[in-house]
């Protein structure tokens, strides 16, 4: 056409699209955990790799950290019982900003709810590295879908509560772990606890709670406590950190801890008497031992864990219950029971702090030398005479300076609890007005 040059076409200016977030909705985090979620952000021009995420606001912004690619965590683990959010409702509010390479931004408002955990402590001595699970069907084994965690270096744990099967009372089960007091790994020890009436309270899972979990009614539980010489309620037992209080000098907790150690030794000994594949589950033998103690408690006024007869009955019946092919005869079990009763007598000494050096040395000797001797006897590589000599308390504690000093007034190598003449003055304690002082003063 005529009339001059055509006009130049207008330049096309590309539009930069702001990033977009995938909204995860309301998030929940179990108390004690720091991981929240990975937040997904995309950019039409550069993809997710081109979006940098930061925390830009929210009432609880200071409680969180986030990586540039969206890994959102709590700066410190939260405690359900002590809400740390701005309005104290255990729901944290935070705003995430995403920025693309061209500077366009978008924001996402998030709510993160803290949920309550079943929490507590595993105690023989405190057991670190124990597998702790919430038994939702009461079969004593960890099944798919049952919450499971590992106890920390001081025996503490936090686990999701889960939902029990219909008609089942959920329990806490602990398997294995290392006794932090002695450093001894106890791979086969199984401990059990029911939950207290207030499930928000921390739970102690101990040999004592294991016995109580085997009692079928509140009345039976109360009778077991009475027979063991324990005052207080079942709830108080379940929610008492016996180790911490005993360390602090609480005399009631120290007595509970002595009972824990006595029952714990019986559990470890029973495990050494049965073949490796005898029990149908990790807790079968533990439940058998607990059931025997409950039976004795409910048919008698007392349960004496320092009595050879009592320990013999518990070991004989529990081993028979889980190991029908056991070749350990009655004489061997009686010899084992006699040695266990002697050690339990030392453990029961009220003058010995159950969290102190002397008790530690007694526990070390029991967990190593005594249990090793029991295993040899059960395997038939030693006889009862050799076993009795090897597990005599004087032999067991020959290298235990603190233990011997704490329980041997006259220094003759025989514990006061086993010595008929504590001050070595030639007069039997039963006839000695000053049995701990040979100067009779």
């Amino acid at each position: 056409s005529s009339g001059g040059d055509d006009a130049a076409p207008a330049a096309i200016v590309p539009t930069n699209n702001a990033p977009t977030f995938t909204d995860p909705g309301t998030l929940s985090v179990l108390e004690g955990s720091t991981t929240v979620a990975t937040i997904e952000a995309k950019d039409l021009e550069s993809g997710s790799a081109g979006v940098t995420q930061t925390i830009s606001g929210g009432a609880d912004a200071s409680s969180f950290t986030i990586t540039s690619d969206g890994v959102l965590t709590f700066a410190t683990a939260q405690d359900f019982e002590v809400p740390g959010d701005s309005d104290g409702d255990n729901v944290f509010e935070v705003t995430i900003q995403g920025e693309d390479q061209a500077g366009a931004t978008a924001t996402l408002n998030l709510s993160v709810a803290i949920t309550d955990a079943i929490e507590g402590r595993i105690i023989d001595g405190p057991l670190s590295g124990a597998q702790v699970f919430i038994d939702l069907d009461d079969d004593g084994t960890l099944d798919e879908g049952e919450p499971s965690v590992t106890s920390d270096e001081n025996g503490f744990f936090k686990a999701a509560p889960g939902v029990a099967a219909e008609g089942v009372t959920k329990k806490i089960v602990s398997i294995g772990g290392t006794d932090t007091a002695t450093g001894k790994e106890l791979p086969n020890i199984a401990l059990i606890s029911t939950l207290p009436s207030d499930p928000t309270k921390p739970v102690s899972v101990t040999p004592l709670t294991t016995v109580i979990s085997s009692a079928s009614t509140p009345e039976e539980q109360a009778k077991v406590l009475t027979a063991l010489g324990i005052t207080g309620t079942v709830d108080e037992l379940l929610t008492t950190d016996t180790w911490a209080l005993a360390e602090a000098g609480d005399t009631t907790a120290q007595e509970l801890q002595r009972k824990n150690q006595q029952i714990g030794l019986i559990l470890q000994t029973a495990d050494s008497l049965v073949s490796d594949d005898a029990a149908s589950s990790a807790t079968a033998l533990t439940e058998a031992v607990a059931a025997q103690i409950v039976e004795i408690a409910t048919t008698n006024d007392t349960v004496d864990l320092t009595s050879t007869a009592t320990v013999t009955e518990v070991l004989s019946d529990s081993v028979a219950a889980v190991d029908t092919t056991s070749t350990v005869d009655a004489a061997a079990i009686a010899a084992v029971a006699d040695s266990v009763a002697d050690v339990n007598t030392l453990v029961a000494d009220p003058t010995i702090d159950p969290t102190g050096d002397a008790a530690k040395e007694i526990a070390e000797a029991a967990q190593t030398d005594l249990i090793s001797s029991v295993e040899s006897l059960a395997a038939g590589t030693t006889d009862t005479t050799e076993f009795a000599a090897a597990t005599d308390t004087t032999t067991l504690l020959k290298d235990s300076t603190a233990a011997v000093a704490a329980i041997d007034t006259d220094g003759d190598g025989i514990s006061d609890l086993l010595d008929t003449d504590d001050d070595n003055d030639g007069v039997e304690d039963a006839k000695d007005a000053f049995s701990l002082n040979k100067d009779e003063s």
Side-chain angles (χ1 to χ4, degrees):
S1 64
S2 62
D5 296 334
D6 293 337
I12 299 175
V13 179
T15 300
N16 179 46
N17 295 281
T20 58
F21 284 98
T22 300
D23 189 348
T26 299
L27 300 168
S28 63
V29 175
L30 187 71
E31 65 170 319
S33 178
T34 57
T35 301
V36 179
T38 297
I39 307 304
E40 295 183 3
K42 295 182 179 179
D43 180 51
L44 184 62
E45 289 77 26
S46 59
S48 58
V51 180
T52 299
Q53 297 189 48
T54 58
I55 293 172
S56 61
D60 304 297
S62 63
S63 297
F64 295 90
T65 63
I66 194 169
T67 63
S68 61
D69 54 356
V71 179
L72 181 66
T73 59
F74 278 106
T76 58
Q78 300 300 314
D79 185 347
F80 182 85
E81 285 71 33
V82 185
D85 60 306
S86 58
D87 59 2
D89 66 352
N90 269 322
V91 179
F92 288 72
E93 309 294 340
V94 63
T95 300
I96 309 301
Q97 177 177 284
E99 182 176 356
D100 67 15
Q101 295 173 342
T105 62
T107 58
L108 174 67
N109 296 320
L110 293 176
S111 296
V112 183
I114 302 300
T115 58
D116 195 16
I118 293 176
E119 56 187 303
R121 195 175 196 184
I122 312 300
I123 303 169
D124 177 54
L127 290 175
S128 66
Q131 181 187 59
V132 185
F133 66 92
I134 310 303
D135 192 2
L136 301 177
D137 57 3
D138 196 19
D139 67 350
T141 59
L142 175 58
D143 302 310
E144 184 177 354
E146 290 182 333
S148 175
V149 296
T150 301
S151 63
D152 70 13
E153 66 275 11
N154 294 308
F156 292 102
F157 70 92
K158 293 178 185 285
V163 178
E166 186 176 354
V168 172
T169 300
K170 72 175 69 171
K171 294 178 180 177
I172 307 167
V173 177
S174 168
I175 308 294
T178 298
D179 187 328
T180 61
T182 64
K184 175 68 174 175
E185 186 176 357
L186 307 174
N188 298 322
I189 190 169
L191 302 175
I192 306 169
S193 181
T194 55
L195 295 178
S197 58
D198 181 354
T200 66
K201 290 186 175 181
V203 187
S204 287
V205 184
T206 71
L208 273 171
T209 67
T210 301
V211 172
I212 293 300
S213 73
S214 191
S216 57
T217 66
E219 293 76 19
E220 198 171 67
Q221 291 175 340
K223 188 165 185 180
V224 171
L225 290 182
T226 300
L228 286 168
I230 298 171
T231 59
T233 66
V234 170
D235 257 20
E236 289 170 341
L237 175 67
L238 296 176
T239 57
T240 296
D241 185 337
T242 52
W243 188 264
L245 289 177
E247 277 190 313
D250 185 288
T251 55
T252 299
Q254 288 179 341
E255 184 55 30
L256 290 176
Q257 187 54 30
R258 293 183 187 103
K259 299 292 186 186
N260 278 331
Q261 291 168 342
Q262 290 173 322
I263 298 170
L265 178 56
I266 294 173
L267 289 171
Q268 293 167 51
T269 304
D271 177 68
S272 299
L273 287 170
V274 301
S275 57
D276 292 340
D277 57 353
S280 59
S281 70
T283 57
L285 181 59
T286 285
E287 290 172 335
V289 170
Q292 290 305 317
I293 295 175
V294 169
E295 183 176 342
I296 294 170
T298 53
T299 55
N300 298 274
D301 292 331
T302 61
V303 177
D304 184 0
L305 299 172
T306 69
S307 160
T308 297
T310 299
V311 179
T312 299
E313 183 177 352
V314 172
L315 292 178
S316 297
D317 292 348
S318 57
V319 168
V322 300
D323 191 355
T324 56
T325 62
S326 174
T327 58
V328 183
D329 62 23
I333 290 181
V336 170
D338 192 45
S339 293
V340 171
D342 284 348
V343 173
N344 275 355
T345 300
L346 301 179
V347 171
D349 187 342
T351 67
I352 296 178
D353 176 1
T355 66
D357 289 341
K360 173 185 173 181
E361 290 180 351
I362 294 169
E364 286 176 335
Q367 292 172 353
T368 55
D369 296 342
L370 175 58
I371 294 301
S372 176
S373 294
V374 173
E375 291 171 347
S376 295
L377 182 63
T381 55
T382 60
D383 60 26
T384 56
T385 301
E386 293 169 324
F387 172 83
T391 60
D392 175 84
T393 53
T394 303
T395 302
L396 283 176
L397 299 177
K398 64 182 184 299
D399 298 321
S400 304
T401 306
V404 171
I407 58 181
D408 184 11
T409 299
D410 56 14
D412 64 355
I414 304 174
S415 161
D416 289 352
L417 293 169
L418 303 177
D419 195 347
T420 58
D421 182 8
D422 287 341
D423 56 10
N424 203 26
D425 64 354
V427 180
E428 290 186 4
D429 291 342
K431 301 176 182 179
D432 193 347
F434 300 91
S435 62
L436 297 179
N437 190 333
K438 64 181 180 181
D439 295 328
E440 307 300 327
S441 62

